[in-house]
Every structure is written in C-alpha cells, then in structure tokens.
Amino acid sequence: MMHINPELCTGCKACLRRCPFEAIEIVDKKARIKETCTNCGACLDSCKFGAIEKEEDTGHTAPQFKPSPESYEGIWIFAEQHRGRLAEVVRELLGAAQDLATQRQTYVAAALLGHEVSLLADELFAYGADRVYLVEHHELASYRTEPYTFVLAKLVEEFKPEIFLLGATPLGRDLAPRLARRVGTGLTADCTELAIDPEEKILLQTRPAFGGNLMATITCPHHRPQMATVRPGVMRKKEPDYSRTGEVVRRSYEIPSKCLRTKVLEVIEEARTTVNLEEAEIIIAGGRGLGGPEGFKKLEEVAKLLGATVGASRAAVDAGWISRDHQVGQTGKTVKPKLYIACGISGAIQHLAGMQNSGCIVAINTDPEAPIFKVADYGIVGDVHEVLPILAQKLRSLQLAY
C-alpha cells in the first residue's frame, strides 16, 4: 500500500483526482490512503511535495535506484502457458528474440511461471531459449495479475534483462503494463515489428498508430528493460530443435498476502466455438463486396468444404455482417495461413498488412485495379456471388470423386 507523509502533505487534493480507485481521502486537511488501495502508483507523480511513498514491506516496492542501462543484458520473453500448454505466441516470440539476440550478441531467456510446469522448459529450449527462469508456486497455477506481476518484477530486479517481450494476448495486455509500472520502465503495446538500431543498439518497436493509418517506431533509450507486447501471428517462429538444451534457473519467492486478494474458485470451459485465425492454415475472408451477412453464409459454405476458417475485412465487421473476432488487418488479427482467399476485398493497406505474408493469396474482385491483386498470387476478376457457388460445386464434386 502507498504511504502519505503527513509532514509533507498540504492537503491539496491532487492525488484524489489522480487515483482511479478512489482509494485516497482527506482527513483533517491531510491525505490518507484507504485499505482499497491497489498500489498502482498512479498518485505518485501527482504530488509536487513528495509526500507519497511506497512502503517497503508490501512486496510492491519499485526499485529506488535504477542501475545504468549498460548493466542489463539478455533478451527475455514471457512464456505464457495455460494448464501446462504454451501459448502459440511464445514460439513466435522466441523466434524474434533469437534474431534480436544475434544482433546484440547476447542470450535468449524465457520467464516461466506456474505450478508443476517444469517440463515445458524442454519445449522452450527447442524453440530457441538458452535459459529458462522458472518459478513454481501453487498460487501461480491460474493466472492472476498481482502474484504474476510480483514474481516477474522480482526476476527482472534480480537478473536485469535488457529487453522483455510479451504476447499481446488478453493475458499479456493485462500483465505487461502493470509489470512496466512496477519496474519503472516504458512499454510499447501491440508491436508488429522489432529491430535493433545499428548505431544506438536500442530496440526499435514498431506498431500501428492512428487507427492503422501509419506505423510508429518507438524507443526507450533511458530505462530498462525495454518492454513490448507483440501481436500474435506477426513474428515467424523457428523450426524446433529438440536436441537443444539450456540452463534452468529456479527461483522461489514468498508471495505477500496483499498480492493474493482474489482466488480462482473454478475454471469453466466455454462451450462456444472460438475463432482462431492466427493458427488457421486456410482462411477465406470476405469484404464489402459480399454485400451483406447473406454473402458470409455462402462464404461459410465454401469454408466448410475447404476446411477453412472465415475471416473478414474491417469494412464488413464495421457494417455488422460478422463479429469482430473474424477481422484481419492492422486493427484486427495478423495471419499467415498457407492459403488466403480474399473475396470482395479491395485491399486497403490496413488489411494487406494483416495478411500479405500468407503462403498463397487468391483474390476475387470485380475491379481489376483493386490493390488486393498487387499482393495476390492468383486473381479472379469477377463477382464473388457468381464465383463462390461455382467453387462450392467444384469442391463437392472433388469430394464425391474421392
């Protein structure tokens, strides 16, 4: 919990306005922290008199002394896992980390948290990790923000990685900003490209900005680690080498009770079928040219025959023809299937950025000048409402032939 020094506090109320949890009150013209304080630190910079401090015994204390950037080394990734299975983005992060480590002439490490997850270290080594920093604790069995943040902050403070990458998954997007605030560094979210500046030797973090209309490259020259979340499906994972071995560094931390405000009582598997575009080998996507939700019904019929996953452009999603979890592009999902069929999609730059690295691209559009044809391997100039039924009929005949 935060602490107010009453001798320095003037009761100006600046901290009240800054606190997002209404965890500060004014009593006798002095600010006072309530028990509902989450220790987020939002109030720290609001006090011009230095009256707000972090207590040392909560386990949440940010380092009071920041070592120089030169004392940090290593490219770390967060090895996100669910019930003992690595998230697919972890393999992609390890591929990117290897490329960065080659440029920085340093090692690749994975931070692995959980309960009875040590067997995952072999898979992390196979995909490129040189070291695995392993913390196993029964309180880490299911993800919760505070205990995970506490443990990762301890690892960062002890081993000082130069770069720390996390997947821009729902879990990563929750964890990364909290961790960055705790260790006193910056964070670039939802990156689509990473590189090392050849002169400054710092991480160049590129991400879409202004709704995907331009790409911004961001750096963190004065603080470490340099942190970024990376969009799933963007980085290319390496082929695994299961003969690789590495070093497992085990650590054990006593997690403070104040980090354990919540408990996971039960995990209920969701019954509905989720859309996993990032891992699909075949995607057939529709755009404005489909004309409406009825057009997507034709698309779903062909997708079923092909064993494909249905995708969509932002225009189709914004029109309400299909749900947002089908969206491909800079403001949707980045995909790299073996086959991508674009139906009635003109090819706006935001959409192309999300699918142009597909193995084979087939485009169907009435406009022969549509930008989608510039990235397509095969193009059909025609009406999707005429082409799709023919394609469906041909696929059925092929199935009957077998």
Side-chain angles (χ1 to χ4, degrees), residues 30-91:
K30 300 289 183 180
R32 188 173 72 178
I33 304 293
K34 300 180 184 178
E35 291 185 358
T36 53
C37 174
T38 66
N39 201 61
C40 69
C43 59
L44 275 173
D45 297 332
S46 67
C47 183
K48 299 179 181 179
F49 308 98
I52 306 177
E53 304 168 347
K54 282 194 173 184
E55 292 183 350
E56 295 288 338
D57 59 349
T58 63
H60 291 243
T61 306
Q64 299 299 310
F65 170 71
K66 291 288 289 183
S68 65
E70 290 75 17
S71 64
Y72 290 76
E73 65 172 347
I75 314 296
W76 283 30
I77 66 101
F78 173 62
E80 179 181 337
Q81 57 83 23
H82 302 273
R83 297 191 175 189
R85 296 183 61 184
L86 291 175
E88 188 63 25
V89 71
V90 173
R91 301 174 181 90

Short mmCIF file of all heavy atoms in Angstrom, two decimals, residues 30-91:
data_model
loop_
_atom_site.label_atom_id
_atom_site.label_comp_id
_atom_site.label_asym_id
_atom_site.label_seq_id
_atom_site.Cartn_x
_atom_site.Cartn_y
_atom_site.Cartn_z
N LYS A 30 -5.40 16.45 5.60
CA LYS A 30 -4.27 15.63 5.16
C LYS A 30 -4.80 14.45 4.35
O LYS A 30 -5.87 13.89 4.66
CB LYS A 30 -3.46 15.10 6.35
CG LYS A 30 -2.85 16.18 7.24
CD LYS A 30 -1.71 16.90 6.54
CE LYS A 30 -1.08 17.93 7.48
NZ LYS A 30 0.04 18.65 6.83
N ALA A 31 -4.08 14.08 3.31
CA ALA A 31 -4.48 12.92 2.52
C ALA A 31 -4.23 11.63 3.32
O ALA A 31 -3.26 11.54 4.07
CB ALA A 31 -3.70 12.88 1.22
N ARG A 32 -5.11 10.65 3.14
CA ARG A 32 -4.95 9.37 3.81
C ARG A 32 -5.31 8.25 2.84
O ARG A 32 -6.30 8.35 2.10
CB ARG A 32 -5.84 9.29 5.05
CG ARG A 32 -5.56 8.04 5.90
CD ARG A 32 -6.34 8.07 7.20
NE ARG A 32 -7.76 7.85 6.97
CZ ARG A 32 -8.68 7.79 7.95
NH1 ARG A 32 -8.30 8.00 9.20
NH2 ARG A 32 -9.94 7.58 7.66
N ILE A 33 -4.50 7.19 2.85
CA ILE A 33 -4.72 6.06 1.95
C ILE A 33 -5.72 5.09 2.57
O ILE A 33 -5.59 4.71 3.73
CB ILE A 33 -3.40 5.31 1.67
CG1 ILE A 33 -2.34 6.27 1.10
CG2 ILE A 33 -3.63 4.16 0.70
CD1 ILE A 33 -2.65 6.82 -0.26
N LYS A 34 -6.72 4.67 1.79
CA LYS A 34 -7.70 3.69 2.26
C LYS A 34 -7.17 2.27 2.04
O LYS A 34 -6.20 2.04 1.30
CB LYS A 34 -9.02 3.85 1.50
CG LYS A 34 -9.68 5.21 1.63
CD LYS A 34 -10.97 5.22 0.83
CE LYS A 34 -11.64 6.57 0.83
NZ LYS A 34 -12.88 6.57 -0.01
N GLU A 35 -7.84 1.30 2.67
CA GLU A 35 -7.43 -0.09 2.51
C GLU A 35 -7.71 -0.62 1.11
O GLU A 35 -7.19 -1.67 0.72
CB GLU A 35 -8.17 -0.97 3.54
CG GLU A 35 -7.72 -0.72 4.97
CD GLU A 35 -8.36 -1.68 5.95
OE1 GLU A 35 -9.18 -2.51 5.48
OE2 GLU A 35 -8.06 -1.60 7.15
N THR A 36 -8.52 0.09 0.35
CA THR A 36 -8.83 -0.34 -1.01
C THR A 36 -7.73 -0.01 -2.01
O THR A 36 -7.85 -0.30 -3.19
CB THR A 36 -10.14 0.30 -1.49
OG1 THR A 36 -10.04 1.73 -1.32
CG2 THR A 36 -11.32 -0.23 -0.70
N CYS A 37 -6.64 0.60 -1.55
CA CYS A 37 -5.51 0.95 -2.43
C CYS A 37 -4.97 -0.31 -3.11
O CYS A 37 -4.74 -1.33 -2.48
CB CYS A 37 -4.41 1.61 -1.61
SG CYS A 37 -2.88 1.92 -2.55
N THR A 38 -4.77 -0.23 -4.43
CA THR A 38 -4.23 -1.35 -5.20
C THR A 38 -2.74 -1.22 -5.46
O THR A 38 -2.15 -2.06 -6.14
CB THR A 38 -4.95 -1.47 -6.56
OG1 THR A 38 -4.63 -0.31 -7.35
CG2 THR A 38 -6.45 -1.59 -6.39
N ASN A 39 -2.15 -0.13 -4.97
CA ASN A 39 -0.72 0.12 -5.14
C ASN A 39 -0.33 0.31 -6.60
O ASN A 39 0.75 -0.03 -7.02
CB ASN A 39 0.10 -1.03 -4.54
CG ASN A 39 1.52 -0.62 -4.23
OD1 ASN A 39 1.76 0.28 -3.44
ND2 ASN A 39 2.48 -1.26 -4.87
N CYS A 40 -1.27 0.85 -7.40
CA CYS A 40 -0.98 1.03 -8.83
C CYS A 40 0.05 2.12 -9.08
O CYS A 40 0.68 2.17 -10.14
CB CYS A 40 -2.26 1.35 -9.59
SG CYS A 40 -2.96 2.98 -9.22
N GLY A 41 0.23 3.04 -8.12
CA GLY A 41 1.25 4.07 -8.26
C GLY A 41 0.82 5.29 -9.05
O GLY A 41 1.63 6.18 -9.31
N ALA A 42 -0.45 5.35 -9.45
CA ALA A 42 -0.92 6.48 -10.27
C ALA A 42 -0.79 7.80 -9.53
O ALA A 42 -0.64 8.86 -10.15
CB ALA A 42 -2.37 6.25 -10.70
N CYS A 43 -0.85 7.78 -8.21
CA CYS A 43 -0.82 9.01 -7.42
C CYS A 43 0.60 9.55 -7.21
O CYS A 43 0.77 10.70 -6.81
CB CYS A 43 -1.47 8.79 -6.07
SG CYS A 43 -0.67 7.48 -5.09
N LEU A 44 1.62 8.72 -7.44
CA LEU A 44 2.99 9.12 -7.11
C LEU A 44 3.42 10.43 -7.77
O LEU A 44 3.93 11.33 -7.12
CB LEU A 44 3.97 8.00 -7.50
CG LEU A 44 4.18 6.88 -6.49
CD1 LEU A 44 5.04 5.79 -7.09
CD2 LEU A 44 4.84 7.42 -5.23
N ASP A 45 3.18 10.51 -9.08
CA ASP A 45 3.65 11.69 -9.82
C ASP A 45 2.77 12.91 -9.63
O ASP A 45 3.14 14.01 -10.04
CB ASP A 45 3.74 11.35 -11.32
CG ASP A 45 4.76 10.26 -11.60
OD1 ASP A 45 5.72 10.14 -10.82
OD2 ASP A 45 4.59 9.54 -12.60
N SER A 46 1.59 12.71 -8.99
CA SER A 46 0.68 13.85 -8.84
C SER A 46 1.10 14.78 -7.71
O SER A 46 0.72 15.95 -7.68
CB SER A 46 -0.75 13.34 -8.58
OG SER A 46 -0.81 12.69 -7.31
N CYS A 47 1.89 14.26 -6.77
CA CYS A 47 2.25 15.05 -5.59
C CYS A 47 3.51 15.87 -5.85
O CYS A 47 4.59 15.33 -6.07
CB CYS A 47 2.46 14.14 -4.38
SG CYS A 47 2.81 15.07 -2.86
N LYS A 48 3.36 17.18 -5.82
CA LYS A 48 4.50 18.07 -6.06
C LYS A 48 5.39 18.23 -4.83
O LYS A 48 6.47 18.82 -4.90
CB LYS A 48 3.99 19.45 -6.49
CG LYS A 48 3.18 19.44 -7.79
CD LYS A 48 2.69 20.83 -8.12
CE LYS A 48 1.85 20.84 -9.39
NZ LYS A 48 1.35 22.20 -9.72
N PHE A 49 4.93 17.70 -3.70
CA PHE A 49 5.64 17.91 -2.44
C PHE A 49 6.38 16.65 -1.97
O PHE A 49 6.96 16.64 -0.89
CB PHE A 49 4.67 18.39 -1.37
CG PHE A 49 3.86 19.58 -1.80
CD1 PHE A 49 2.57 19.42 -2.28
CD2 PHE A 49 4.40 20.86 -1.76
CE1 PHE A 49 1.82 20.51 -2.70
CE2 PHE A 49 3.66 21.96 -2.16
CZ PHE A 49 2.37 21.79 -2.65
N GLY A 50 6.29 15.57 -2.78
CA GLY A 50 6.99 14.33 -2.42
C GLY A 50 6.43 13.66 -1.19
O GLY A 50 7.15 12.96 -0.47
N ALA A 51 5.13 13.85 -0.93
CA ALA A 51 4.53 13.31 0.29
C ALA A 51 4.07 11.86 0.14
O ALA A 51 3.72 11.23 1.13
CB ALA A 51 3.35 14.18 0.71
N ILE A 52 4.05 11.35 -1.09
CA ILE A 52 3.56 9.99 -1.33
C ILE A 52 4.74 9.06 -1.54
O ILE A 52 5.62 9.32 -2.37
CB ILE A 52 2.61 9.94 -2.53
CG1 ILE A 52 1.47 10.95 -2.34
CG2 ILE A 52 2.05 8.55 -2.72
CD1 ILE A 52 0.53 11.03 -3.51
N GLU A 53 4.75 7.96 -0.80
CA GLU A 53 5.85 6.99 -0.90
C GLU A 53 5.27 5.59 -0.98
O GLU A 53 4.09 5.37 -0.70
CB GLU A 53 6.75 7.09 0.34
CG GLU A 53 7.32 8.49 0.59
CD GLU A 53 7.96 8.60 1.97
OE1 GLU A 53 7.76 7.67 2.79
OE2 GLU A 53 8.66 9.59 2.22
N LYS A 54 6.13 4.64 -1.36
CA LYS A 54 5.74 3.24 -1.33
C LYS A 54 6.34 2.58 -0.11
O LYS A 54 7.53 2.74 0.15
CB LYS A 54 6.20 2.51 -2.60
CG LYS A 54 5.34 2.77 -3.81
CD LYS A 54 5.64 1.77 -4.91
CE LYS A 54 4.64 1.92 -6.05
NZ LYS A 54 4.85 0.89 -7.09
N GLU A 55 5.51 1.84 0.63
CA GLU A 55 6.02 1.15 1.81
C GLU A 55 6.92 -0.01 1.38
O GLU A 55 6.66 -0.68 0.38
CB GLU A 55 4.86 0.62 2.66
CG GLU A 55 4.05 1.74 3.29
CD GLU A 55 2.94 1.20 4.17
OE1 GLU A 55 2.70 -0.01 4.13
OE2 GLU A 55 2.33 2.00 4.90
N GLU A 56 7.96 -0.26 2.14
CA GLU A 56 8.96 -1.26 1.80
C GLU A 56 8.50 -2.69 2.01
O GLU A 56 9.02 -3.61 1.43
CB GLU A 56 10.24 -1.03 2.62
CG GLU A 56 10.95 0.28 2.30
CD GLU A 56 11.62 0.25 0.94
OE1 GLU A 56 11.90 -0.86 0.45
OE2 GLU A 56 11.87 1.32 0.38
N ASP A 57 7.50 -2.91 2.88
CA ASP A 57 7.18 -4.27 3.29
C ASP A 57 6.00 -4.87 2.56
O ASP A 57 5.48 -5.89 2.96
CB ASP A 57 6.90 -4.32 4.79
CG ASP A 57 5.74 -3.41 5.19
OD1 ASP A 57 5.31 -2.61 4.35
OD2 ASP A 57 5.28 -3.54 6.34
N THR A 58 5.52 -4.27 1.49
CA THR A 58 4.35 -4.80 0.81
C THR A 58 4.69 -5.77 -0.30
O THR A 58 3.82 -6.46 -0.80
CB THR A 58 3.55 -3.64 0.19
OG1 THR A 58 4.37 -3.01 -0.77
CG2 THR A 58 3.10 -2.66 1.24
N GLY A 59 5.93 -5.80 -0.70
CA GLY A 59 6.29 -6.61 -1.86
C GLY A 59 6.03 -5.90 -3.16
O GLY A 59 6.23 -6.44 -4.23
N HIS A 60 5.55 -4.66 -3.11
CA HIS A 60 5.22 -3.90 -4.31
C HIS A 60 6.21 -2.77 -4.57
O HIS A 60 6.02 -1.97 -5.46
CB HIS A 60 3.82 -3.28 -4.17
CG HIS A 60 2.73 -4.28 -4.19
ND1 HIS A 60 1.76 -4.33 -5.17
CD2 HIS A 60 2.44 -5.30 -3.34
CE1 HIS A 60 0.91 -5.31 -4.93
NE2 HIS A 60 1.30 -5.91 -3.82
N THR A 61 7.25 -2.69 -3.78
CA THR A 61 8.13 -1.53 -3.84
C THR A 61 8.89 -1.46 -5.15
O THR A 61 9.53 -2.42 -5.56
CB THR A 61 9.14 -1.57 -2.68
OG1 THR A 61 8.41 -1.71 -1.48
CG2 THR A 61 9.95 -0.30 -2.65
N ALA A 62 8.82 -0.35 -5.82
CA ALA A 62 9.61 -0.14 -7.03
C ALA A 62 11.05 0.12 -6.63
O ALA A 62 11.31 0.67 -5.56
CB ALA A 62 9.06 1.05 -7.82
N PRO A 63 12.01 -0.27 -7.46
CA PRO A 63 13.39 -0.05 -7.09
C PRO A 63 13.69 1.43 -6.92
O PRO A 63 13.33 2.24 -7.76
CB PRO A 63 14.16 -0.64 -8.28
CG PRO A 63 13.19 -0.74 -9.40
CD PRO A 63 11.85 -0.91 -8.77
N GLN A 64 14.33 1.79 -5.81
CA GLN A 64 14.65 3.18 -5.54
C GLN A 64 15.87 3.64 -6.34
O GLN A 64 16.06 4.82 -6.55
CB GLN A 64 14.90 3.37 -4.04
CG GLN A 64 13.69 3.01 -3.17
CD GLN A 64 12.51 3.88 -3.49
OE1 GLN A 64 12.62 5.10 -3.54
NE2 GLN A 64 11.35 3.26 -3.70
N PHE A 65 16.70 2.68 -6.76
CA PHE A 65 17.89 3.02 -7.52
C PHE A 65 17.88 2.24 -8.83
O PHE A 65 17.78 1.02 -8.83
CB PHE A 65 19.16 2.66 -6.74
CG PHE A 65 20.42 2.76 -7.56
CD1 PHE A 65 20.91 3.99 -7.94
CD2 PHE A 65 21.08 1.62 -7.96
CE1 PHE A 65 22.06 4.08 -8.70
CE2 PHE A 65 22.23 1.70 -8.74
CZ PHE A 65 22.72 2.94 -9.09
N LYS A 66 17.89 2.95 -9.93
CA LYS A 66 17.87 2.30 -11.23
C LYS A 66 19.30 2.16 -11.74
O LYS A 66 19.99 3.15 -11.97
CB LYS A 66 17.05 3.13 -12.22
CG LYS A 66 15.58 3.14 -11.93
CD LYS A 66 14.92 1.82 -12.25
CE LYS A 66 14.86 1.59 -13.74
NZ LYS A 66 14.16 0.34 -14.07
N PRO A 67 19.78 0.91 -11.92
CA PRO A 67 21.12 0.73 -12.48
C PRO A 67 21.20 1.31 -13.89
O PRO A 67 20.19 1.54 -14.56
CB PRO A 67 21.28 -0.80 -12.50
CG PRO A 67 20.24 -1.31 -11.56
CD PRO A 67 19.12 -0.34 -11.62
N SER A 68 22.39 1.54 -14.36
CA SER A 68 22.58 2.09 -15.70
C SER A 68 22.16 1.06 -16.73
O SER A 68 22.24 -0.16 -16.49
CB SER A 68 24.05 2.47 -15.91
OG SER A 68 24.86 1.31 -15.88
N PRO A 69 21.70 1.49 -17.92
CA PRO A 69 21.28 0.55 -18.96
C PRO A 69 22.36 -0.47 -19.32
O PRO A 69 22.05 -1.58 -19.73
CB PRO A 69 20.96 1.48 -20.15
CG PRO A 69 20.58 2.77 -19.52
CD PRO A 69 21.45 2.89 -18.30
N GLU A 70 23.64 -0.09 -19.18
CA GLU A 70 24.72 -0.99 -19.55
C GLU A 70 24.79 -2.23 -18.65
O GLU A 70 25.40 -3.23 -19.02
CB GLU A 70 26.06 -0.25 -19.49
CG GLU A 70 26.24 0.80 -20.59
CD GLU A 70 25.43 2.06 -20.34
OE1 GLU A 70 24.99 2.28 -19.19
OE2 GLU A 70 25.22 2.82 -21.31
N SER A 71 24.16 -2.18 -17.48
CA SER A 71 24.22 -3.32 -16.57
C SER A 71 23.14 -4.36 -16.88
O SER A 71 23.08 -5.39 -16.21
CB SER A 71 24.08 -2.85 -15.13
OG SER A 71 22.81 -2.27 -14.91
N TYR A 72 22.30 -4.11 -17.87
CA TYR A 72 21.25 -5.05 -18.26
C TYR A 72 21.69 -5.84 -19.48
O TYR A 72 22.34 -5.29 -20.39
CB TYR A 72 19.96 -4.30 -18.59
CG TYR A 72 19.27 -3.68 -17.40
CD1 TYR A 72 19.74 -2.51 -16.82
CD2 TYR A 72 18.12 -4.26 -16.87
CE1 TYR A 72 19.11 -1.95 -15.74
CE2 TYR A 72 17.47 -3.69 -15.78
CZ TYR A 72 17.98 -2.53 -15.23
OH TYR A 72 17.34 -1.97 -14.14
N GLU A 73 21.33 -7.12 -19.55
CA GLU A 73 21.65 -7.92 -20.73
C GLU A 73 20.64 -9.05 -20.89
O GLU A 73 19.97 -9.44 -19.94
CB GLU A 73 23.07 -8.51 -20.62
CG GLU A 73 23.23 -9.51 -19.49
CD GLU A 73 24.57 -10.22 -19.54
OE1 GLU A 73 25.26 -10.12 -20.56
OE2 GLU A 73 24.91 -10.88 -18.54
N GLY A 74 20.55 -9.56 -22.10
CA GLY A 74 19.67 -10.68 -22.38
C GLY A 74 18.34 -10.25 -22.98
O GLY A 74 17.82 -9.18 -22.69
N ILE A 75 17.84 -11.10 -23.88
CA ILE A 75 16.52 -10.88 -24.48
C ILE A 75 15.57 -11.88 -23.84
O ILE A 75 15.72 -13.09 -24.02
CB ILE A 75 16.55 -11.10 -26.01
CG1 ILE A 75 17.77 -10.41 -26.65
CG2 ILE A 75 15.25 -10.64 -26.64
CD1 ILE A 75 17.78 -8.92 -26.55
N TRP A 76 14.61 -11.39 -23.07
CA TRP A 76 13.66 -12.25 -22.37
C TRP A 76 12.30 -12.25 -23.06
O TRP A 76 11.88 -11.25 -23.65
CB TRP A 76 13.46 -11.76 -20.94
CG TRP A 76 14.56 -12.10 -19.98
CD1 TRP A 76 15.89 -12.25 -20.24
CD2 TRP A 76 14.41 -12.30 -18.56
NE1 TRP A 76 16.57 -12.54 -19.09
CE2 TRP A 76 15.70 -12.56 -18.04
CE3 TRP A 76 13.32 -12.27 -17.69
CZ2 TRP A 76 15.91 -12.80 -16.69
CZ3 TRP A 76 13.54 -12.50 -16.35
CH2 TRP A 76 14.82 -12.78 -15.85
N ILE A 77 11.63 -13.39 -22.96
CA ILE A 77 10.23 -13.45 -23.36
C ILE A 77 9.43 -14.05 -22.20
O ILE A 77 9.98 -14.80 -21.39
CB ILE A 77 10.02 -14.27 -24.65
CG1 ILE A 77 10.36 -15.76 -24.45
CG2 ILE A 77 10.85 -13.72 -25.79
CD1 ILE A 77 9.18 -16.66 -24.26
N PHE A 78 8.16 -13.69 -22.12
CA PHE A 78 7.29 -14.28 -21.10
C PHE A 78 6.66 -15.52 -21.69
O PHE A 78 5.96 -15.46 -22.71
CB PHE A 78 6.23 -13.29 -20.67
CG PHE A 78 5.19 -13.89 -19.75
CD1 PHE A 78 5.56 -14.40 -18.51
CD2 PHE A 78 3.86 -13.95 -20.12
CE1 PHE A 78 4.62 -14.96 -17.66
CE2 PHE A 78 2.92 -14.51 -19.27
CZ PHE A 78 3.30 -15.02 -18.04
N ALA A 79 6.90 -16.67 -21.05
CA ALA A 79 6.41 -17.95 -21.55
C ALA A 79 4.98 -18.19 -21.04
O ALA A 79 4.75 -18.95 -20.11
CB ALA A 79 7.32 -19.08 -21.13
N GLU A 80 4.04 -17.52 -21.68
CA GLU A 80 2.64 -17.66 -21.28
C GLU A 80 2.17 -19.10 -21.47
O GLU A 80 2.39 -19.70 -22.53
CB GLU A 80 1.77 -16.71 -22.12
CG GLU A 80 0.30 -16.79 -21.81
CD GLU A 80 -0.53 -15.84 -22.67
OE1 GLU A 80 0.03 -14.85 -23.18
OE2 GLU A 80 -1.74 -16.09 -22.82
N GLN A 81 1.56 -19.65 -20.44
CA GLN A 81 1.04 -21.02 -20.54
C GLN A 81 -0.32 -21.11 -19.87
O GLN A 81 -0.63 -20.35 -18.96
CB GLN A 81 2.04 -22.02 -19.93
CG GLN A 81 2.40 -21.76 -18.48
CD GLN A 81 1.41 -22.32 -17.47
OE1 GLN A 81 0.66 -23.25 -17.77
NE2 GLN A 81 1.38 -21.74 -16.26
N HIS A 82 -1.12 -22.02 -20.37
CA HIS A 82 -2.44 -22.26 -19.80
C HIS A 82 -2.59 -23.76 -19.57
O HIS A 82 -2.51 -24.55 -20.51
CB HIS A 82 -3.54 -21.76 -20.75
CG HIS A 82 -3.44 -20.31 -21.08
ND1 HIS A 82 -4.00 -19.33 -20.29
CD2 HIS A 82 -2.81 -19.66 -22.09
CE1 HIS A 82 -3.74 -18.14 -20.82
NE2 HIS A 82 -3.02 -18.31 -21.91
N ARG A 83 -2.73 -24.12 -18.31
CA ARG A 83 -2.90 -25.53 -17.95
C ARG A 83 -1.79 -26.41 -18.52
O ARG A 83 -2.03 -27.50 -19.05
CB ARG A 83 -4.27 -26.04 -18.40
CG ARG A 83 -5.43 -25.32 -17.71
CD ARG A 83 -6.74 -26.02 -17.97
NE ARG A 83 -7.81 -25.40 -17.21
CZ ARG A 83 -9.03 -25.91 -17.10
NH1 ARG A 83 -9.31 -27.05 -17.68
NH2 ARG A 83 -9.95 -25.28 -16.40
N GLY A 84 -0.58 -25.90 -18.45
CA GLY A 84 0.57 -26.68 -18.87
C GLY A 84 0.83 -26.71 -20.35
O GLY A 84 1.67 -27.50 -20.82
N ARG A 85 0.17 -25.85 -21.13
CA ARG A 85 0.41 -25.78 -22.58
C ARG A 85 0.83 -24.36 -22.93
O ARG A 85 0.17 -23.39 -22.55
CB ARG A 85 -0.84 -26.16 -23.37
CG ARG A 85 -1.28 -27.60 -23.17
CD ARG A 85 -2.48 -27.93 -24.02
NE ARG A 85 -2.18 -27.78 -25.44
CZ ARG A 85 -3.09 -27.93 -26.41
NH1 ARG A 85 -4.35 -28.22 -26.10
NH2 ARG A 85 -2.75 -27.79 -27.67
N LEU A 86 1.93 -24.25 -23.68
CA LEU A 86 2.42 -22.94 -24.08
C LEU A 86 1.47 -22.29 -25.08
O LEU A 86 0.95 -22.96 -25.99
CB LEU A 86 3.81 -23.05 -24.72
CG LEU A 86 4.96 -23.44 -23.79
CD1 LEU A 86 6.24 -23.62 -24.61
CD2 LEU A 86 5.18 -22.39 -22.71
N ALA A 87 1.28 -21.00 -24.95
CA ALA A 87 0.54 -20.25 -25.95
C ALA A 87 1.35 -20.20 -27.24
O ALA A 87 2.59 -20.15 -27.21
CB ALA A 87 0.25 -18.83 -25.45
N GLU A 88 0.70 -20.21 -28.38
CA GLU A 88 1.39 -20.23 -29.66
C GLU A 88 2.29 -19.02 -29.84
O GLU A 88 3.36 -19.10 -30.45
CB GLU A 88 0.38 -20.30 -30.81
CG GLU A 88 0.98 -20.51 -32.19
CD GLU A 88 1.71 -21.84 -32.31
OE1 GLU A 88 1.38 -22.79 -31.58
OE2 GLU A 88 2.62 -21.93 -33.17
N VAL A 89 1.89 -17.88 -29.28
CA VAL A 89 2.69 -16.67 -29.44
C VAL A 89 4.07 -16.81 -28.79
O VAL A 89 5.02 -16.12 -29.19
CB VAL A 89 1.93 -15.45 -28.86
CG1 VAL A 89 1.88 -15.50 -27.33
CG2 VAL A 89 2.55 -14.14 -29.31
N VAL A 90 4.21 -17.70 -27.82
CA VAL A 90 5.51 -17.90 -27.15
C VAL A 90 6.55 -18.38 -28.17
O VAL A 90 7.70 -17.92 -28.17
CB VAL A 90 5.37 -18.90 -26.00
CG1 VAL A 90 6.74 -19.26 -25.41
CG2 VAL A 90 4.47 -18.33 -24.92
N ARG A 91 6.17 -19.29 -29.04
CA ARG A 91 7.09 -19.81 -30.05
C ARG A 91 7.49 -18.70 -31.02
O ARG A 91 8.63 -18.63 -31.47
CB ARG A 91 6.45 -20.98 -30.79
CG ARG A 91 6.07 -22.13 -29.85
CD ARG A 91 5.31 -23.23 -30.59
NE ARG A 91 4.94 -24.30 -29.67
CZ ARG A 91 3.80 -24.36 -28.98
NH1 ARG A 91 2.91 -23.38 -29.11
NH2 ARG A 91 3.54 -25.36 -28.17
#
